[in-house]
Amino acid sequence: MWAWFLLLALVLTSILLICPKAIFFILGVVLVDGGAYYIWNQQQLRERAKITLEVAYDTVKCPPGKPMLVTITNHSEKTLERTIFTLDATVPGYSSIVTPYSYKQNRSDKILRLGESHAQCFPEPLMKPSPLSDFRAEDLEWSANIDSVYFRKTP
């Protein structure tokens, strides 16, 4: 990491010594690109916050082997094309997550317009070995956390 920083500092210093006006052009490009990225990223975060996930351990609505009922709701004006999320569980009264970090990439590619919801069943995650892992999955407090969302590109 430091090597890249030092190399960049050396290159910018060289450019400054050779052609002082070029450094202003480079800084301008960096500032404009950085600003555009910041605005785009903030917009993405606002839209992502409009997607809600609810998770429940439900053996009535879900088939055997897939007891995790996840409901995705789109509150964004943009059309949602794909959602990638994780399922986490904690023991009631504790804050430690007992589902392993390797159990990540749950995904739904159900296309949802504004106000639409979709419920889908997923397999139960494996539990981390811990003194708290004696609890049954239906007794745990479950949450679904969005890793990324993809919206339909508008023409």
Side-chain angles (χ1 to χ4, degrees):
M1 177 69 179
W2 284 103
W4 285 107
F5 178 75
L6 291 174
L7 180 63
L8 179 63
L10 181 64
V11 168
L12 289 176
T13 303
S14 300
I15 292 172
L16 180 61
L17 292 174
I18 295 170
C19 184
K21 292 181 182 179
I23 198 74
F24 294 113
F25 174 76
I26 292 171
L27 286 175
V29 169
V30 168
L31 288 174
V32 168
D33 285 350
Y37 174 77
Y38 177 79
I39 291 169
W40 174 84
N41 189 46
Q42 291 301 308
Q43 180 183 6
Q44 287 294 105
L45 291 174
R46 281 192 299 276
E47 291 301 321
R48 179 173 154 169
K50 296 177 183 177
I51 307 303
T52 58
L53 299 178
E54 295 176 20
V55 62
Y57 188 92
D58 193 330
T59 57
V60 175
K61 294 180 183 174
C62 291
K66 291 185 173 185
M68 305 308 303
L69 180 65
V70 177
T71 304
I72 304 168
T73 304
N74 182 10
H75 300 284
S76 169
E77 293 181 11
K78 293 184 175 183
T79 300
L80 180 64
E81 288 196 335
R82 186 173 356 139
T83 309
I84 300 174
F85 59 94
T86 59
L87 294 176
D88 292 329
T90 57
V91 174
Y94 292 87
S95 61
S96 296
I97 295 173
V98 295
T99 49
Y101 295 103
S102 62
Y103 195 87
K104 291 287 183 187
Q105 299 297 304
N106 294 295
R107 61 181 66 227
S108 172
D109 64 348
K110 177 66 176 163
I111 297 172
L112 299 174
R113 290 176 179 72
L114 173 62
E116 291 182 333
S117 294
H118 171 68
Q120 186 174 344
C121 297
F122 291 89
E124 175 185 326
L126 300 173
M127 302 297 155
K128 281 189 216 177
S130 87
L132 303 176
S133 61
D134 293 339
F135 284 83
R136 297 176 308 167
E138 56 266 26
D139 298 329
L140 298 173
E141 294 176 354
W142 290 94
S143 63
N145 302 301
I146 296 174
D147 291 332
S148 57
V149 294
Y150 297 88
F151 293 100
R152 177 168 286 164
K153 292 185 176 27
T154 53

